[in-house]
Amino acid sequence: MKKMLPKIPLLAVAGLSVGLVTLSGCAHMFSSRHQKVAIQSATPGAKIHYPEEGVKTTKSGARKYDKMRAYHTVSFEKEGYKTTNYSFQLTKRSPTFALAILDLAVPLYGWFYGIPIDLWSPKTRKFDNKQTAPALIAYDKRKTDEKFLSVNTTAFDIKGKDITWHQYLSMTQYKDGKKKDSRSVRKFNKSGERDDIKVDNTIFTDALNGTIRRMSFIDTTNTIFPSASNTLYLNAKVKKITVHNVESRLGRKIKRRAANIFVNELMAMEMDIEWEVLDYYKQKVYSTNTKLKSDLYTYYASSKAGQFDKFVRSSMADNLEYSLLKIRKELAEKGLLKISDVKAPTLAAITIARPPKTENGRMNDFLKSVVSVKVDDGHGSGAVISADGYIITAYHVVAGSKKVEVIFNDGTKADAEVIRKNEEADLALIKVTKTGLIPIALSNSNEPEIGVDVWAIGTPKSIELGQSVSKGVLSAVRLANNVSYLQTDVSINGGNSGGPLISKDGMVLGIVTSKLIGIGTEGVGFAINADEIFKKLNIKYE
């Protein structure tokens, strides 16, 4: 009888006695759960940040990583560089893997418990002891001869069919980009659970402008009066999303054999983005596309919905930042960022009859000289300056519009043509084929009296509010970008642009152009000094 019993190694016997209780074999019991790993960046001076879970710090300051997590992700950051994630995985069998073979000496235990657990236990694997993350990407800061840049909008306009999912069973598969788990791809793509996504997202717009600020593309010295010649805007529209999910063969087998062992995954977002480059007046000057991937982010399948949403936002923001850096480089290569001297075209003088000066005029009389200017995407205001149809307005009111229509105080309408413009001064001269109009006189004083009462007449917010009047004072005269501005506390709203700022005797002191908007900011509006109209548009009185 004794000869029939197999010889059982002492180590296997010890594993049997404990394993019958813990349902694990020798290799699992005698392997360490944590492993010391040294990680550094190829960029000198980069600081490493560790996740909150799965990392232990030894007395010497070394880091030990939990092998029960198939992947670990750390991030590196350095001033002047893009923060980047670095991920690594269990890649090799540890020496204790050999202990799993000893469980074969105990047939009943080994066959039913030891082999299924030990052969796939993360504790019998190991990370590479030394890891070197790729070099960080430096922010390419704005050169002194480049334009200022900011993001105008970030929108998501995605059809459900344009959201796809790719599954990988290792980081090697993901990096090769060839071997995917086609079954999971087909299952996801054929499901009807994907909804269209259509939304404007200010969170990502603010994040991208934060990056642009770090690249010195935001004008922090002259933000109140930006220049039309050195300012560009970006619109980003996300059209397609591909989710790259990196699972692990080891993790998949663990899930099947031992659900109580926790294994994480990695995910990255790939987005197709349409970019529009706009000039100061939001007119498109260039368009292009990017298709890039975000860094890999650690994802826990058991995460709560809020944690998953945080992962999605982080990976999308990361993708947008990579795309922005690519756009910055492309614009520089195309020469679109280069500041060029904008010389106003030589314009032949336009001579008009001087309107009679009004003494102690009534406001009702002045209203007849103010119009609403209706354009493709909105409206503005304007001031009639000649009886034969010349009207002054702000250039940004008519910029890019194919059709311009003027609505007069009596409700009549007429199509208008843009005769001339000065983008730097934000002025435009339009004309209607109509006679017998009641004009208003332009002041040619470049130093109007500060503190006097002034009135703004225009069409705030809606065409229905045409020829609205608001009163204030002339607060100051400001000179910026070679243009004279009048500062006023008159109430100004969207649609007032292009309307006149007039004095009590009915003289146009300025053309309303903008106002400051923000928390704690009130009563700071600006009008282009009427004196500029004569110089910038070359208009003369008879």
Side-chain angles (χ1 to χ4, degrees), residues 293-525:
K293 296 177 183 176
S294 70
D295 289 338
L296 287 165
Y297 283 76
T298 302
Y299 166 67
Y300 299 91
S302 61
S303 295
K304 297 179 181 178
Q307 293 172 316
F308 180 77
D309 291 344
K310 182 179 179 181
F311 149 75
V312 171
R313 288 195 300 271
S314 298
S315 56
M316 284 183 171
D318 188 64
N319 184 298
L320 284 163
E321 187 171 21
Y322 275 121
S323 300
L324 178 64
L325 297 180
K326 184 176 184 297
I327 291 298
R328 184 262 183 270
K329 182 178 180 181
E330 183 174 336
L331 293 182
E333 292 173 348
K334 296 286 184 180
L336 295 173
L337 284 179
K338 199 80 169 179
I339 295 177
S340 55
D341 293 332
V342 179
K343 295 182 179 180
T346 302
L347 301 172
I350 293 179
T351 303
I352 62 176
R354 184 188 299 272
K357 186 175 180 180
T358 305
E359 295 291 346
N360 300 317
R362 297 184 308 160
M363 192 58 62
N364 285 346
D365 296 329
F366 303 151
L367 297 181
K368 298 174 183 178
S369 303
V370 181
V371 299
S372 299
V373 181
K374 188 177 179 181
V375 292
D376 298 342
D377 298 320
H379 73 277
S381 304
V384 177
I385 62 169
S386 76
D388 57 348
Y390 283 109
I391 299 170
I392 290 291
T393 187
Y395 174 67
H396 74 261
V397 171
V398 298
S401 293
K402 296 180 180 179
K403 181 179 180 181
V404 180
E405 184 181 53
V406 170
I407 304 174
F408 294 90
N409 178 246
D410 60 4
T412 58
K413 301 178 181 179
D415 290 337
E417 179 185 358
V418 179
I419 300 299
R420 57 181 54 177
K421 61 186 179 180
N422 188 302
E423 297 183 19
E424 191 64 32
D426 192 17
L427 288 170
L429 179 68
I430 62 177
K431 192 175 188 304
V432 296
T433 54
K434 199 169 183 178
T435 58
L437 301 178
I438 301 175
I440 191 169
L442 298 172
S443 169
N444 58 1
S445 172
N446 58 7
E447 293 185 2
E449 184 181 351
I450 305 301
V452 298
D453 291 340
V454 290
W455 289 262
I457 307 177
T459 310
K461 292 296 183 181
S462 172
I463 292 290
E464 297 175 339
L465 301 178
Q467 287 79 34
S468 294
V469 179
S470 56
K471 182 182 178 181
V473 298
L474 186 60
S475 306
V477 178
R478 310 291 184 185
L479 183 64
N481 302 320
N482 198 32
V483 178
S484 175
Y485 294 91
L486 306 182
Q487 181 181 326
T488 178
D489 67 347
V490 170
S491 177
I492 293 174
N493 296 283
N496 272 117
S497 292
L501 186 71
I502 66 174
S503 63
K504 63 181 180 180
D505 55 1
M507 294 288 289
V508 176
L509 301 181
I511 296 297
V512 174
T513 181
S514 64
K515 68 176 291 186
L516 296 186
I517 300 175
I519 297 175
T521 301
E522 259 183 62
V524 183

Side-chain angles (χ1 to χ4, degrees), residues 61-121:
R63 306 284 178 168
K64 286 189 174 182
Y65 293 84
D66 189 352
K67 292 192 288 186
M68 302 306 283
R69 290 167 170 78
Y71 301 104
H72 280 282
T73 299
V74 298
S75 63
F76 286 92
E77 67 176 31
K78 184 179 180 180
E79 184 69 27
Y81 292 80
K82 183 191 178 302
T83 299
T84 305
N85 284 356
Y86 175 72
S87 301
F88 59 96
Q89 64 180 346
L90 290 169
T91 55
K92 302 176 181 177
R93 295 188 178 96
S94 69
T96 56
F97 182 82
L99 295 177
I101 306 303
L102 297 179
D103 288 328
L104 291 170
V106 186
L108 181 63
Y109 171 65
W111 294 342
F112 288 96
Y113 295 109
I115 298 303
I117 297 295
D118 286 2
L119 289 181
W120 307 112
S121 172

Side-chain angles (χ1 to χ4, degrees), residues 22-324:
T22 63
L23 299 184
S24 58
C26 300
H28 185 81
M29 289 185 298
F30 292 107
S31 298
S32 173
R33 176 167 174 164
H34 292 84
Q35 178 189 338
K36 186 187 299 184
V37 179
I39 307 175
Q40 64 179 4
S41 171
T43 301
K47 296 181 180 179
I48 185 171
H49 292 271
Y50 301 92
E52 296 180 0
E53 300 178 358
V55 181
K56 294 173 62 177
T57 304
T58 64
K59 293 181 179 179
S60 63
R63 306 284 178 168
K64 286 189 174 182
Y65 293 84
D66 189 352
K67 292 192 288 186
M68 302 306 283
R69 290 167 170 78
Y71 301 104
H72 280 282
T73 299
V74 298
S75 63
F76 286 92
E77 67 176 31
K78 184 179 180 180
E79 184 69 27
Y81 292 80
K82 183 191 178 302
T83 299
T84 305
N85 284 356
Y86 175 72
S87 301
F88 59 96
Q89 64 180 346
L90 290 169
T91 55
K92 302 176 181 177
R93 295 188 178 96
S94 69
T96 56
F97 182 82
L99 295 177
I101 306 303
L102 297 179
D103 288 328
L104 291 170
V106 186
L108 181 63
Y109 171 65
W111 294 342
F112 288 96
Y113 295 109
I115 298 303
I117 297 295
D118 286 2
L119 289 181
W120 307 112
S121 172
K123 292 177 68 175
T124 63
R125 267 63 172 181
K126 68 176 184 177
F127 303 109
D128 286 335
N129 293 328
K130 294 183 179 180
Q131 307 271 348
T132 301
L136 301 181
I137 299 175
Y139 288 131
D140 192 358
K141 293 196 172 184
R142 173 183 174 270
K143 312 297 189 299
T144 55
D145 61 347
E146 290 182 325
K147 297 179 181 179
F148 293 107
L149 184 67
S150 64
V151 176
N152 185 46
T153 61
T154 306
F156 289 76
D157 186 8
I158 309 168
K159 303 294 184 183
K161 63 182 180 65
D162 292 325
I163 304 173
T164 56
W165 183 288
H166 290 174
Q167 192 88 9
Y168 308 85
L169 295 179
S170 69
M171 286 181 62
T172 302
Q173 281 191 5
Y174 170 72
K175 291 177 179 178
D176 290 345
K178 298 178 180 179
K179 298 179 180 179
K180 294 184 283 288
D181 186 341
S182 59
R183 290 174 299 174
S184 66
V185 174
R186 287 199 301 269
K187 181 179 178 181
F188 181 84
N189 289 346
K190 288 185 178 181
S191 70
E193 299 177 358
R194 295 166 297 158
D195 296 326
D196 294 352
I197 302 175
K198 192 175 182 68
V199 63
D200 291 332
N201 198 300
T202 57
I203 295 176
F204 293 128
T205 300
D206 293 342
L208 288 177
N209 279 323
T211 298
I212 289 177
R213 185 178 295 275
R214 287 190 287 273
M215 297 165 68
S216 302
F217 273 97
I218 300 293
D219 185 2
T220 58
T221 61
N222 194 21
T223 54
I224 295 177
F225 302 103
S227 172
S229 63
N230 70 353
T231 302
L232 291 178
Y233 297 96
L234 293 173
N235 285 342
K237 182 181 289 185
V238 182
K239 302 295 290 184
K240 293 182 180 180
I241 289 180
T242 301
V243 181
H244 296 275
N245 177 213
V246 185
E247 205 182 2
S248 70
R249 290 189 178 91
L250 180 62
R252 182 170 287 189
K253 293 180 183 297
I254 288 174
K255 289 177 182 178
R256 289 203 296 262
R257 291 171 169 79
N260 62 320
I261 297 179
F262 180 74
V263 177
N264 58 355
E265 302 173 10
L266 298 174
M267 281 193 183
M269 287 286 185
E270 180 179 351
M271 300 196 299
D272 290 30
I273 307 174
E274 292 180 357
W275 293 86
E276 286 185 342
V277 184
L278 313 176
D279 65 12
Y280 174 74
Y281 294 105
K282 307 297 175 65
Q283 300 174 105
K284 185 169 72 173
V285 296
Y286 181 69
S287 61
T288 186
N289 295 74
T290 58
K291 185 178 180 181
L292 300 174
K293 296 177 183 176
S294 70
D295 289 338
L296 287 165
Y297 283 76
T298 302
Y299 166 67
Y300 299 91
S302 61
S303 295
K304 297 179 181 178
Q307 293 172 316
F308 180 77
D309 291 344
K310 182 179 179 181
F311 149 75
V312 171
R313 288 195 300 271
S314 298
S315 56
M316 284 183 171
D318 188 64
N319 184 298
L320 284 163
E321 187 171 21
Y322 275 121
S323 300
L324 178 64

